[in-house]
Amino acid sequence: MAAEQMADGAQDGTTPPPRPLDAIDQDILKILQADGRASIRTVAERVHVSRANAYARINRLIDDGVIRGFSARVDHERAGHGTSAYITLKIVQNTWRTVREQLRQLPGASHIALVGGDFDVLLLVHTPDNRALRELVLTRLQAIPEVLSTRTLLVFEEEDLEPET
């Protein structure tokens, strides 16, 4: 399966309508979320299906866009990014797509969400230190014309919630 297919969900760039997931599909997802490197054999044994069935199900989950890809979980502090922050942004109405593209280019941007409430966008960033965070917020973010205001929430401690296997 090509990497582009995994990223886009389908060959022509469109995502097919979702198919219902049964209990075996759900179990496969839990296993792969806990260990994206799990072998087909291991997955098949744990969900009690043949290797061919497990392989076909995983490929269907990829083709349907349920599985968007496989990645490593990183300890950002140990990787040299000891400062993390959630940054809220208020943006000019109807500029989400433009702003999103600019936020994707920011160094250390980890998660971007369009939200409802007192602000419009929630951005998670990981930077080497507070100086780099300051530079990111005051120089890069506030230079985006569509960004009306920002608020930075420094993360003191974080923990990824891993799926149970």
Side-chain angles (χ1 to χ4, degrees):
M1 171 109 356
E4 301 85 41
Q5 281 181 273
M6 286 194 330
D8 292 338
Q11 247 177 321
D12 63 1
T14 61
T15 304
R19 294 186 241 188
L21 302 181
D22 64 16
I24 294 172
D25 292 331
Q26 295 289 349
D27 288 344
I28 289 171
L29 290 176
K30 286 179 188 173
I31 291 166
L32 292 176
Q33 283 179 296
D35 180 6
R37 294 174 41 162
S39 68
I40 296 291
R41 180 180 178 176
T42 299
V43 171
E45 288 173 356
R46 291 186 54 196
V47 299
H48 309 291
V49 298
S50 70
R51 285 191 303 238
N53 188 331
Y55 183 80
R57 283 174 177 268
I58 291 169
N59 279 335
R60 180 178 51 79
L61 291 167
I62 291 169
D63 291 342
D64 286 355
V66 176
I67 296 175
R68 297 182 300 178
F70 299 87
S71 63
R73 290 187 304 267
V74 175
D75 181 320
H76 296 285
E77 190 170 354
R78 293 185 61 86
H81 289 95
T83 298
S84 297
Y86 286 96
I87 304 168
T88 65
L89 295 86
K90 288 186 182 182
I91 62 174
V92 174
Q93 190 173 8
N94 297 321
T95 61
W96 161 241
R97 287 176 183 84
T98 302
V99 171
R100 178 183 57 197
E101 292 311 310
Q102 293 177 72
L103 296 177
R104 284 180 174 164
Q105 305 304 314
L106 292 175
S110 176
H111 184 83
I112 306 165
L114 177 66
V115 297
D118 292 338
F119 50 88
D120 304 306
V121 178
L122 182 63
L123 171 67
L124 174 61
V125 297
H126 305 284
T127 61
D129 52 35
N130 285 351
R131 183 180 302 269
L133 176 61
R134 179 184 181 279
E135 178 71 18
L136 181 84
V137 173
L138 298 180
T139 303
R140 301 285 300 268
L141 277 177
Q142 293 183 358
I144 298 172
E146 298 85 1
V147 172
L148 300 173
S149 67
T150 64
R151 176 173 282 171
T152 303
L153 307 166
L154 192 59
V155 175
F156 294 127
E157 188 175 315
E158 63 185 318
E159 180 178 338
D160 288 330
L161 302 177
E162 306 303 329
E164 294 181 22
T165 57

